[in-house]
Amino acid sequence: MNDVLYLLLTLVAFALLAVLVGALDRYLDDPADRVDPTDPADQTAQTELATQGGAA
Amino acid sequence: MSTPTSTTTPTTTGTTGTTTGTGSSVLTVAQLAAALPGALRKLDPRELLATPVMLVVEIGAVATTVMSVLDPSTLGWLVTLWLWLTVVFGTLAESVAEGRGKAQAASLRELQTETPARRVRGSADQLTYTGNLTDLPTDEVPSTSLHAGDVVVVEAGERIPGDGDVVAGVASVDESAVTGESAPVIRESGGDRSAVTGGTVVLSDRIVVRVTSEPGQSFVDRMIALVEGSERQRTPNEIALNVLLSSLTVVFVVVCGSLYFLADYSGAHQSPLVLTALLVCLIPTTIGALLSAIGIAGMDRLVRRNVLAMSGRAVEAAGDVDVLLLDKTGTITYGNRQAAELLAVPGVTSAELAEAALLSSLADETPEGRSIVTLVGGAVATPPGATFVAFSASTRMSGLDLPGRTLRKGAGSAVAQWVHSTGSPAAHASVAAIEAHVQHVSESGGTPLVVAEQVGSDPARLLGVIHLKDVVKDGIRERFEELRAMGIRTVMITGDNAVTAAAIAQEAGVDDVLAEATPEDKLALIRREQQGGRMVAMCGDGTNDAPALAQADVGVAMNTGTTAAKEAGNMVDLDSDPTKLLDVVEIGKQLLITRGALTTFSVANDVAKYFAILPAMFVVAFPDLDVLNVMRLSSPESAIVSAVVFNALVIVALIPLALRGVAYRPASASALLQRNLLVYGVGGLIAPFLGIKLLDLVISHIPGL
Amino acid sequence: MSEIVPTLLQVAVLVAALGLTVPLLGRLLAHAYTSPRHLAVERVTYRALRVDPDADQHWRTYAMSVLGFSLVGVLALFAFGRLQEHLPLSLGFAALPTDGAWNTAVSFVTNTNWQWYSGEAALGHLMQMSGLTVQNFLSAGVGMAVAAAFARGLARRGGAGRVGNFWADLVRTVLRVLLPIALVAAVLLVVMGVVQNLAGPHLVDTLTGGNQAITGGPVASQEAIKELGTNGGGFYNANSAHPFENPTPMSNLFEIFLILLVPFAMAWSFGLIVGDRRQGVAVLTVMGLLLAVSVALITWAEMAGPGTAPQLAQGALEGKEQRFGTAGSALFAAVTTGTSTGAVNTMHDSLTAPGGGVALFNMMLGEIAPGGVGSGLYGMLMLAVVTVFLCGLMVGRTPEYLGKKIGQREIVLVAAYVLTTPVLVLVGSAVALTASDGLAGLQESGPHGLTEAVYAVTSASNNNGSAFGGLTSGTPFWNTLLGSCMLLGRFLPMVVVLALAGRFATQPRLPAGAGTLPTHRPLFVVLLSGVALVVVGLTYVPVLALGPIVESLS
């Protein structure tokens, strides 16, 4: 019985770590964070996009 | 070779008046008082959400208030009072920073008052393609109802109803309300001087303007939003720093929280009140409170130099710039060339040449013409019967017609052609001499002007060459050396040929040069630099600069420039001074340095606070810990209150610094770091020891502590 | 006073030996982590494991490989522990209790090697060798692989998040580096008198007429990798204080050398991987500087030991082995806590209060001076990023490290890394010192008891594994608490490090100019050391004040 408990503890811990990996992956290339090129308040948006286009 | 141009840019110096006199950077009591209501409004926790550090302080203040109500004590009320003050000081800093922009915004708002506008009646097609818009009928409409694409007619004495481009006519316009420059500027259709700003006043003549902005999105609207800080978006570095400060806050929350239990184990129970006081002292409140004020003040510093950044991001990017693209004319050299010497052909005396040069330039009002007059000894009275022949693009010459004598000066090929047309042989000895002089002048980076004379109806003869020199601005070389020390490379952009460009580049001390540059060349150069991971800044005014301005990481458009250029860049310089780019870079760096310096100061302060509070907390349970009380504070209660008070007061003390920015001198990274570490790191270690000790001397006299 | 000459001498010998070997091993490591070619024996391994060693993994895949591999390790060791009595070579030992088996499994897979049991009285040879010794290699290899991935992330430009291949890194680390060196080291240890056999307990009659079971076993082989991989799990309970594990001052010095070899060499190889040796040297210098200070402090504390008895004995000798002397013990204590080894040749519970405080502080630094194999390097690099961020702002540019910009996302990851261990340590300590089950394990009360508990939690959270002694940790409460700390303290930071590696790999590498903060100059070395000390100091001063500091002052 106790064995199952610790096995579960291990599995849950690693599962959560795996979830963290997925979450960080999404966080690191979250398109919403990129500058919105249609936002008139941020003129550099176009510049940045152009930069990326130019660098590609 | 280029000919002297007859239209010249009205050059203004960097020190022309600021828009509104939000004068000195010294903080006045009046300023603080004016900012107080705004500061109190910002106490709303939702507002504080953006700065977690201050939110934690506010939560702490609420908690100690509750504790003091339930269990009143002098210590409790003092801590509570000063925790609230800490929060208020933080919001006050932001409010003061915003307040400085408010006055300016108010004067700009006056430009927005509704004015009647005369809109040209016609279909969209008509308005776009019809040539003579002035002949179409007009309707009177309120300026607020104008949309992009509408065309309006504005006459002398009227206010331009909206941003737009002049599509017909020439007028002098008073733009002082926007730029602070009192001299009127010329706005004309076509070319690079066609943009007009809504709210400015036409002084003479009549122009037809095609409106380019929608209501509420005009240049003045954007300016108002910027100077008020209402549209302020936090910049990448600010956000990153905020993350770091928040994580420090979390660490200290855990430290203080766990300390409650560890202290209980050690038999030295700590009240939540004292732990809250400790927490507030430890978390980086100094920088947390001043962070947004620093950002607003940075924008404000730009505005004071008459530069409008369209986003804070651009200001920060300016600090990161690696390469500066500088137009030769106006930035590196004075916009106009000046006569430096006269080179006569054999058989012509210097005096003869000088006289001819003087006469031909007497009526020439271009700076080049005036400089020739100055060179040969000053103006003389115009001979009777003289007719001035103005420069024209087709003849590429100017001069003076006297009875029986004709004088011409201009580009070598144009003058040679004229001389030849009067019957002079093409293979004359003077032609070879002139060519030699012309080549010599070009190679040294100058512009040759050839002078010729025709007496009666004889064939004209060549007299000599005037050497017009591009004069490199005073002190620009030193400025470039500073930039080099900062790790910034300068590239001079010029339409001159490679030989001329190289000569000027060497004189000015730039690192690189792009000669015979076309707009495409500029764009390609920027892309190349960016691919190498470097950030590029440039300034420009023409429509053909727009792609490069948009591509550059920092693009400063001249206010005199076209609407397209202004839209493409992320900053606008109201003075239209290309040298401003250097200031912009410095302000960007100063902004980052101020944040870094205050963060270091804030963290360094914690050391002294530990020495004040830890012995105070545990000296009852462990008398041995009294040796850590190096400041010899009078009592545990006084020590805690002194630390909290110091923590709050240091915010107020640093508001002026946050608004002004730390002193910045261009230097290499290592030198800057050493200096700032010494001042703000070491200073931050020592200052609180002195401050807390002094406060303790006063606070220990409070009865009940 | 007579000890001063040998003290300095042993440090000189150590520095000289490291000076000769670290650059060589650094080059070997850099080659292993960058060469596209496989050895024949490696190819066989890859085929057996059914992995493609040439696949350039995205950091996400790399991290999942690390986690998956480690999960299997934990489960296998847990099974070994629980089924010990049914396995061969068990020497008749019974199964470990559930919480103990779990704690041990986690402990060895996380390179912590915290031991709640007495090795010689609880574990059979199979468990010791196939379970623990194998994990000694593998857990060290995992740490080094992650550090290599991080270095590659910094070295690459526009790598689309790809950081290398975990399996290739792991196999190469073990086959090219750890196994050969451990083999040579084991032989040398045997020559120096360390035991190596597969026999059962040997019964001897004692002088007093009783009899005693002397357990021999494959000690030298485990000892070699125990030090080399900064594992620290001893064959015997007494660890490196046991004469079979560490018989002479000579073997003592050799073990210290083994502990320091790989962590320093990793820093060297880092410089080579990123293509600028000076960067590696700078990191190595900071590690060396911090270690030197702690060696000096502990040696001073132990030699000048307060109290009458230590003064008479010219040093605090309680809990120390006479054959190593104060200096040999102090050096070992500083090195084992400065790295995440946790092997001990002296009882840290008996160190003087300031000496024990420094040992504790060493671990609180986050195991960076020079730290565990691999983990020391990435831990130090994380602090380097923090330093660059703070100082980079002060030179007026968006901070960058090795041409990689430190923006919001990067700083979020670094903040998560820096937060993890302090939160584990402080929350864990608070729980341990509040719960009655936790308090029950403490031997002493007052400040020393606090130090015992904090030391245990710190040791587990930082994957050090050294025990302060005095704490009875073989209870379900302590086993579970410390096991959780070890697990989270190992893999949370690793995931964050790999994410940052991927992030850096994606970025272009910006050219350095006069405007960028140089990260190889002495100024940066001083700053990085300062940031390490200040950040850690500010976090732990209150705890230290209630433990070692108040103890030292009384």
Side-chain angles (χ1 to χ4, degrees):
Chain A
M1 184 54 218
N2 238 348
D3 288 328
V4 178
L5 218 62
Y6 278 98
L7 276 177
L8 268 180
L9 175 64
T10 313
L11 291 175
V12 167
F14 275 91
L16 286 178
L17 285 164
V19 169
L20 175 68
V21 171
L24 282 179
D25 187 35
R26 269 194 308 283
Y27 171 69
L28 289 185
D29 46 41
D30 179 7
D33 176 72
R34 291 194 194 123
V35 200
D36 183 5
T38 58
D39 182 3
D42 193 66
Q43 290 287 314
T44 42
Q46 286 132 18
T47 318
E48 286 203 349
L49 279 188
T51 314
Q52 283 158 9
Chain B
M1 264 185 285
S2 61
T3 55
T5 50
S6 62
T7 50
T8 54
T9 320
T11 48
T12 53
T13 58
T15 50
T16 47
T18 47
T19 311
T20 52
T22 36
S24 71
S25 56
V26 180
L27 197 60
T28 61
V29 178
Q31 258 178 306
L32 287 175
L36 196 59
L40 294 177
R41 258 198 309 280
K42 285 175 192 292
L43 289 181
D44 184 340
R46 284 167 301 184
E47 292 252 344
L48 286 177
L49 222 53
T51 43
V53 184
M54 296 317 284
L55 185 63
V56 169
V57 180
E58 187 169 50
I59 294 171
V62 171
T64 55
T65 310
V66 173
M67 287 179 237
S68 299
V69 168
L70 295 178
D71 178 19
S73 68
T74 315
L75 176 69
W77 284 115
L78 275 175
V79 168
T80 303
L81 170 71
W82 282 94
L83 290 196
W84 278 113
L85 283 177
T86 309
V87 193
V88 172
F89 290 158
T91 55
L92 191 65
E94 192 178 330
S95 192
V96 168
E98 285 175 359
R100 305 168 116 209
K102 289 241 168 70
Q104 191 161 19
S107 78
L108 285 170
R109 279 233 169 74
E110 285 170 17
L111 299 178
Q112 285 188 307
T113 45
E114 198 178 280
T115 51
R118 279 185 291 135
R119 186 170 63 190
V120 175
R121 198 187 309 151
S123 67
D125 266 8
Q126 260 181 313
L127 294 178
T128 315
Y129 299 111
T130 311
N132 220 352
L133 290 167
T134 26
D135 299 341
L136 290 174
T138 57
D139 301 322
E140 189 140 313
V141 294
S143 58
T144 43
S145 69
L146 291 174
H147 291 276
D150 286 347
V151 174
V152 292
V153 177
V154 193
E155 291 199 23
E158 289 180 346
R159 186 169 274 196
I160 298 173
D163 294 356
D165 286 322
V166 180
V167 287
V170 187
S172 61
V173 179
D174 173 14
E175 294 191 342
S176 59
V178 178
T179 63
E181 171 61 58
S182 55
V185 292
I186 302 296
R187 291 285 177 250
E188 58 189 346
S189 61
D192 290 345
R193 307 276 171 268
S194 63
V196 288
T197 309
T200 55
V201 178
V202 174
L203 293 178
S204 70
D205 304 294
R206 162 192 164 99
I207 45 173
V208 181
V209 173
R210 175 171 290 124
V211 176
T212 51
S213 67
E214 292 292 329
Q217 290 174 13
S218 72
F219 188 66
V220 172
D221 287 317
R222 290 217 310 255
M223 265 180 84
I224 291 172
L226 281 166
V227 295
E228 276 196 325
S230 58
E231 250 184 50
R232 204 173 85 82
Q233 288 175 319
R234 293 193 301 156
T235 57
N237 270 318
E238 191 179 343
I239 295 171
L241 182 56
N242 216 353
V243 170
L244 191 77
L245 298 180
S246 305
S247 71
L248 276 175
T249 307
V250 172
V251 167
F252 287 124
V253 167
V254 174
V255 167
C256 294
S258 66
L259 195 55
Y260 178 81
F261 298 99
L262 297 184
D264 269 1
Y265 163 84
S266 305
H269 177 79
Q270 292 303 320
S271 70
L273 182 93
V274 171
L275 286 170
T276 310
L278 175 66
L279 174 64
V280 171
C281 286
L282 292 180
I283 60 178
T285 46
T286 316
I287 178 67
L290 296 174
L291 191 55
S292 56
I294 294 171
I296 298 169
M299 296 284 273
D300 188 54
R301 273 200 295 284
L302 270 184
V303 171
R304 276 154 192 273
R305 298 204 200 180
N306 271 358
V307 177
L308 288 183
M310 294 305 157
S311 71
R313 197 184 277 265
V315 185
E316 232 177 55
D320 286 345
V321 160
D322 303 288
V323 182
L324 281 185
L325 302 191
L326 299 167
D327 276 323
K328 183 197 76 177
T329 311
T331 314
I332 295 169
T333 63
Y334 291 106
N336 36 57
R337 298 147 208 259
Q338 297 187 351
E341 58 177 332
L342 298 176
L343 304 161
V345 294
V348 175
T349 64
S350 304
E352 271 181 290
L353 177 60
E355 194 230 357
L358 175 62
L359 288 176
S360 68
S361 308
L362 269 182
D364 185 352
E365 282 304 312
T366 63
E368 289 85 355
R370 285 200 296 269
S371 76
I372 295 171
V373 174
T374 313
L375 178 72
V376 297
V380 294
T382 312
T387 338
F388 177 59
V389 178
F391 175 87
S392 83
S394 55
T395 61
R396 290 159 64 216
M397 289 189 301
S398 65
L400 196 71
D401 289 345
L402 293 170
R405 191 175 176 206
T406 310
L407 288 167
R408 287 290 180 273
K409 71 172 198 291
S413 56
V415 176
Q417 208 180 359
W418 175 70
V419 170
H420 185 61
S421 71
T422 60
S424 174
H428 196 268
S430 63
V431 175
I434 286 286
E435 272 171 9
H437 285 318
V438 164
Q439 198 182 349
H440 163 72
V441 171
S442 303
E443 275 174 6
S444 67
T447 307
L449 269 190
V450 177
V451 184
E453 169 192 53
Q454 185 183 27
V455 179
S457 55
D458 294 346
R461 62 176 185 138
L462 293 161
L463 297 177
V465 173
I466 304 171
H467 182 173
L468 287 182
K469 211 172 158 188
D470 251 336
V471 183
V472 173
K473 285 187 173 177
D474 292 332
I476 199 84
R477 200 186 169 89
E478 289 70 30
R479 210 121 188 225
F480 289 150
E481 268 159 25
E482 286 174 1
L483 286 171
R484 207 166 299 122
M486 286 153 66
I488 297 174
R489 215 157 56 85
T490 46
V491 181
M492 184 179 90
I493 311 274
T494 170
D496 292 346
N497 63 47
V499 178
T500 313
I504 295 170
Q506 208 194 340
E507 192 181 342
V510 293
D511 296 304
D512 210 344
V513 65
L514 185 68
E516 289 173 274
T518 62
E520 292 75 31
D521 290 341
K522 270 196 214 181
L523 193 60
L525 175 71
I526 295 174
R527 289 225 167 108
R528 210 161 47 240
E529 294 288 353
Q530 285 174 339
Q531 268 168 30
R534 282 174 284 270
M535 301 208 27
V536 184
M538 69 166 287
C539 55
D541 53 4
T543 300
N544 56 15
D545 282 331
L549 278 173
Q551 177 76 48
D553 300 285
V554 177
V556 182
M558 301 292 106
N559 190 45
T560 53
T562 58
T563 309
K566 284 203 253 181
E567 292 284 330
N570 42 24
M571 292 189 198
V572 175
D573 179 19
L574 299 175
D575 295 338
S576 303
D577 171 14
T579 328
K580 219 45 112 36
L581 201 50
L582 307 183
D583 296 343
V584 171
V585 170
E586 291 189 1
I587 289 174
K589 286 199 178 290
Q590 195 187 26
L591 179 66
L592 294 185
I593 293 176
T594 307
R595 285 199 196 119
L598 289 184
T599 307
T600 309
F601 185 84
S602 201
V603 174
N605 271 342
D606 281 359
V607 175
K609 292 174 191 162
Y610 265 133
F611 274 102
I613 297 188
L614 277 186
M617 288 170 85
F618 297 120
V619 78
V620 177
F622 303 107
D624 295 320
L625 281 178
D626 193 46
V627 293
L628 294 184
N629 181 7
V630 290
M631 285 171 268
R632 309 313 311 161
L633 304 177
S634 52
S635 73
E637 289 76 17
S638 170
I640 291 166
V641 174
S642 300
V644 172
V645 172
F646 175 83
N647 193 50
L649 287 183
V650 84
I651 295 174
V652 181
L654 289 175
I655 289 179
L657 183 70
L659 298 184
R660 199 178 57 230
V662 303
Y664 173 73
R665 224 168 10 85
S668 72
S670 299
L672 278 175
L673 182 60
Q674 256 162 1
R675 181 186 169 279
N676 290 323
L677 267 180
L678 208 64
V679 176
Y680 297 98
V682 178
L685 275 180
I686 298 169
F689 278 104
L690 301 175
I692 293 175
K693 177 66 187 170
L694 286 176
L695 285 170
D696 175 68
L697 292 178
V698 178
I699 286 169
S700 55
H701 294 298
I702 294 176
L705 266 187
Chain C
M1 293 304 107
S2 58
E3 280 213 58
I4 287 201
V5 173
T7 305
L8 293 178
L9 198 66
Q10 67 171 357
V11 170
V13 170
L14 186 63
V15 169
L18 287 171
L20 286 175
T21 47
V22 161
L24 289 175
L25 182 57
R27 212 180 306 161
L28 176 67
L29 283 164
H31 182 261
Y33 295 133
T34 51
S35 156
R37 300 178 45 168
H38 308 291
L39 304 179
V41 56
E42 290 168 355
R43 282 217 190 79
V44 173
T45 319
Y46 298 136
R47 224 166 290 142
L49 286 170
R50 294 169 166 274
V51 293
D52 172 12
D54 295 315
D56 197 2
Q57 290 175 324
H58 189 266
W59 77 263
R60 181 185 55 224
T61 321
Y62 200 106
M64 291 308 242
S65 307
V66 169
L67 292 177
F69 180 76
S70 302
L71 174 62
V72 171
V74 173
L75 295 179
L77 266 190
F78 183 60
F80 270 29
R82 292 294 290 147
L83 303 172
Q84 174 161 254
E85 54 197 351
H86 308 296
L87 299 173
L89 285 176
S90 71
L91 305 183
F93 290 126
L96 299 173
T98 312
D99 54 285
W102 184 72
N103 181 286
T104 303
V106 170
S107 166
F108 277 76
V109 171
T110 57
N111 197 253
T112 313
N113 306 37
W114 169 269
Q115 292 165 299
W116 59 272
Y117 54 85
S118 297
E120 68 271 37
L123 300 186
H125 290 335
L126 184 80
M127 181 80 180
Q128 289 269 24
M129 285 194 303
S130 61
L132 308 193
T133 308
V134 165
Q135 269 309 327
N136 276 350
F137 280 97
L138 296 181
S139 67
V142 169
M144 291 164 75
V146 171
F150 191 68
R152 273 193 302 258
L154 275 168
R156 288 182 175 184
R157 56 197 82 200
R162 301 190 180 277
V163 294
N165 187 293
F166 169 68
W167 307 104
D169 286 344
L170 179 68
V171 169
R172 287 180 182 190
T173 305
V174 173
L175 291 183
R176 295 189 191 184
V177 182
L178 295 180
L179 263 180
I181 301 179
L183 197 68
V184 175
V187 172
L188 287 173
L189 282 170
V190 170
V191 170
M192 290 174 193
V194 178
V195 172
Q196 178 80 8
N197 61 44
L198 282 178
H202 190 68
L203 274 178
V204 293
D205 295 325
T206 60
L207 291 173
T208 50
N211 53 42
Q212 188 183 358
I214 304 283
T215 314
V219 181
S221 57
Q222 189 176 323
E223 195 67 17
I225 188 60
K226 170 188 118 183
E227 317 293 12
L228 185 68
T230 62
N231 291 288
F235 192 91
Y236 298 102
N237 186 37
N239 210 303
S240 285
H242 197 289
F244 287 2
E245 282 199 25
N246 191 5
T248 63
M250 174 83 170
S251 69
N252 190 48
L253 196 57
F254 182 62
E255 287 183 8
I256 292 173
F257 163 78
L258 281 180
I259 292 174
L260 294 175
L261 179 61
V262 177
F264 278 127
M266 282 301 288
W268 191 276
S269 79
F270 163 72
L272 299 178
I273 292 173
V274 299
D276 184 354
R277 205 170 49 194
R278 299 168 310 176
Q279 303 290 348
V281 173
V283 169
L284 192 150
T285 312
V286 178
M287 293 172 163
L289 216 62
L290 293 173
L291 180 66
V293 171
S294 70
V295 168
L297 283 177
I298 296 186
T299 309
W300 164 80
E302 297 313 304
M303 283 190 167
T308 325
Q311 292 294 340
L312 288 174
Q314 292 190 352
L317 287 177
E318 182 197 304
K320 294 190 178 59
E321 294 297 306
Q322 193 59 57
R323 64 183 184 282
F324 307 135
T326 315
S329 304
L331 180 62
F332 200 105
V335 165
T336 195
T337 50
T339 63
S340 75
T341 310
V344 291
N345 79 347
T346 182
M347 295 303 111
H348 289 188
D349 198 17
S350 304
L351 291 175
T352 58
V358 174
L360 180 57
F361 190 81
N362 264 345
M363 295 191 295
M364 287 172 168
L365 272 176
E367 300 302 7
I368 49 165
V373 290
S375 60
L377 177 62
Y378 62 66
M380 184 61 94
L381 292 178
M382 283 294 185
L383 282 180
V385 173
V386 174
T387 310
V388 161
F389 187 80
L390 283 177
C391 302
L393 286 179
M394 272 195 285
V395 304
R397 277 176 76 91
T398 296
E400 53 194 74
Y401 184 57
L402 299 180
K404 307 288 186 178
K405 287 213 159 155
I406 317 296
Q408 183 197 353
R409 268 140 222 284
E410 289 78 13
I411 214 72
V412 163
L413 293 174
V414 173
Y417 182 96
V418 176
L419 271 177
T420 304
T421 336
V423 170
L424 285 175
V425 170
L426 293 172
V427 173
S429 302
V431 169
L433 288 168
T434 311
S436 53
D437 285 346
L439 294 170
L442 302 182
Q443 186 181 40
E444 314 269 336
S445 61
H448 201 72
L450 181 125
T451 311
E452 282 175 4
V454 172
Y455 192 103
V457 179
T458 307
S459 173
S461 304
N462 285 292
N463 301 130
N464 180 284
S466 73
F468 200 54
L471 178 74
T472 312
S473 67
T475 62
F477 173 85
W478 279 102
N479 273 338
T480 312
L481 175 71
L482 297 180
S484 309
C485 284
M486 291 188 269
L487 198 63
L488 296 176
R490 175 75 165 177
F491 293 111
L492 272 179
M494 268 192 180
V495 165
V496 174
V497 165
L498 286 171
L500 190 58
R503 178 79 180 164
F504 279 151
T506 311
Q507 283 192 21
R509 200 167 166 187
L510 309 176
T516 24
L517 173 76
T519 51
H520 59 269
R521 299 259 177 80
L523 179 64
F524 186 76
V525 168
V526 173
L527 284 173
L528 180 49
S529 317
V531 165
L533 291 174
V534 168
V535 167
V536 174
L538 292 180
T539 310
Y540 292 110
V541 156
V543 179
L544 291 171
L546 289 175
I549 294 180
V550 79
E551 226 188 310
S552 307
L553 292 175
S554 53

